């Protein structure tokens, strides 16, 4: 899927600035409901940012558009995010960029 490919490309470009992960299963359903987001989208969770705890990107997944979105954030590694490791991912204080795709379930 081109959106996931673009997300993965940006995870490499922003290595070391946060955790880039993809959500699936029960966690995906929870995120969709809690943040009222429709796939494909990128949910950015910033646990230490009091002013903006999260941001959502749901535009076109072009290099130019994603560059603009990521640059608009003050700030990013790629791996699976599960119900079992979500707490650990949030506890370390890193910003999470979560790809919410059409085929993650």
């Amino acid at each position: 899927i081109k959106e996931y490919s673009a997300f993965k490309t940006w995870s490499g470009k922003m290595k070391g600035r946060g955790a880039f992960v993809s959500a699936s299963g029960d966690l995906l359903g929870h995120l969709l409901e809690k943040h009222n987001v429709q796939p494909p989208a990128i949910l950015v969770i910033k646990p230490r940012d009091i002013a903006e705890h999260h941001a959502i990107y749901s535009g076109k997944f072009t290099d130019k558009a994603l560059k603009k979105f990521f640059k608009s954030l003050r700030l990013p590694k790629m791996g699976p995010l599960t119900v079992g490791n979500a707490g650990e991912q949030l506890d370390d204080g890193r910003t999470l960029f979560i790809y919410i795709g059409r085929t993650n379930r």
Side-chain angles (χ1 to χ4, degrees), residues 41-89:
I42 298 172
L43 170 63
V44 181
I45 298 176
K46 303 186 289 180
R48 293 188 180 170
D49 191 331
I50 296 170
E52 184 182 47
H53 183 67
H54 74 278
I56 297 171
Y57 178 78
S58 59
K60 292 184 179 181
F61 277 65
T62 64
D63 193 60
K64 182 178 180 179
L66 290 175
K67 180 178 182 177
K68 183 177 180 179
F69 172 69
F70 288 126
K71 284 192 170 223
S72 74
L73 302 169
R74 291 182 297 215
L75 289 171
K77 189 172 167 178
M78 186 65 116
L81 181 68
T82 65
V83 172
N85 71 8
E88 177 183 315
Q89 295 284 357

Side-chain angles (χ1 to χ4, degrees), residues 23 27-37 43 45 98 100:
L27 181 61
L28 174 61
H30 172 77
L31 293 171
L32 291 172
E33 184 178 321
K34 181 176 181 177
H35 296 284
N36 193 27
V37 61
L43 170 63
I45 298 176
I98 304 170
I100 298 176

